[in-house]
Amino acid sequence: MSNRSMVWVWWTCAEGLTRTATKGLLKVMGLAETSGAAFVLATAIIGVVQLVTGFFGSIFRKKAFAENQTYVIGSIAFGVLAYIVTVLSFLVFHLGGDMGVNTFITTLAIIPGGIIGSIVFRDKLYPRQWFAMTLAIVAGYLVIGRPSLAEFFELPLWIWLSFITMFGIGINQAIVQYIRGVDPMVQNFWVGLTQTVLCVGTIAVMGGWSVFAADAPPVSFWALAALIGVINVAMLVFNIVSYKLGASIALKKLVMNGVHLSTAMIAGITLFNEAANVEKFAGVLLYLVAYAVWDSDTWRSFGLKT
């Protein structure tokens, strides 16, 4: 295989690393800030970056913002869920969430996403995919520390919030499938606009700018939030370029998830002193197997029949 044909791997690895960088910055800000209003404001800043990038990107590419009503409504729905997921992600880490475990839980979004797809788009679920769900559940059980039944119902709040974000991400995956023809910059514009409007509305309900009067966010707060927005845009670029360089959807997702999961685990352990144990890494490996069994394109890429 030529070196050029494998260039997409490096771009896909870069995408996985940007996802991990975003997760790390969310944790840094979640640990540093103490108010829900600050998390909403940070989400607004991220939304503004996406809004501005999407606006100028669409103008440069000469794309209409409202050419297709379905794409607009879908992008707005995506933005609503993105707003909820982002705010909850800050809260997860504010409550002491483990970066590696949270990352693992959110990547399980392929399961609800697939189930929604089978209901909405009539995608057939094969026996191997039900088996993959079982593997994913076992992997999750390992990663969260093999709790007993009694311990399961006493898991920390941040784990339950992580599962809520997982379902939000899963629904958004179904939305992306439904509006897959939308230009990414146009989608960025509507998603960013929706997040910004929701955040401004939330802050207004909470009391407006006065909620920050006693403890105004420092410059570093604005910088980190803007940086997350920039990284999210870079993530989109890496994603698009990898496909243009010949990446197959199946192998690209497998590589990206593998890089993201492993680097998030390592970053959590080395940078945030999170627990390191065999169960975490065993769960990641089992998840990758479950993903390969679950995803039909990946399954067929190994020469296996559906």
Side-chain angles (χ1 to χ4, degrees), residues 66-136:
E67 184 177 6
N68 186 302
Q69 186 178 16
T70 300
Y71 291 167
V72 173
I73 294 173
S75 297
I76 290 173
F78 186 102
V80 172
L81 287 170
Y83 158 76
I84 295 171
V85 166
T86 305
V87 173
L88 287 182
S89 295
F90 281 120
L91 186 57
V92 162
F93 295 124
H94 176 67
L95 295 172
D98 183 294
M99 179 175 165
V101 174
N102 171 263
T103 300
F104 176 86
I105 292 173
T106 54
T107 55
L108 290 176
I110 61 167
I111 304 300
I115 293 174
I116 293 170
S118 70
I119 297 171
V120 178
F121 307 113
R122 306 293 183 185
D123 295 337
K124 183 179 179 180
L125 286 179
Y126 297 95
R128 63 173 170 78
Q129 292 177 304
W130 293 103
F131 175 64
M133 288 187 204
T134 304
L135 290 179

Side-chain angles (χ1 to χ4, degrees), residues 16-17 19-21 99 258-270:
L17 290 173
R19 290 178 183 274
T20 298
M99 179 175 165
V259 171
H260 179 36
L261 273 173
S262 58
T263 55
M265 291 282 184
I266 294 170
I269 293 168
T270 57

Side-chain angles (χ1 to χ4, degrees), residues 61 177-178 188 194:
R61 292 159 59 88
Q177 184 178 352
Y178 189 69
N188 244 354
T194 303

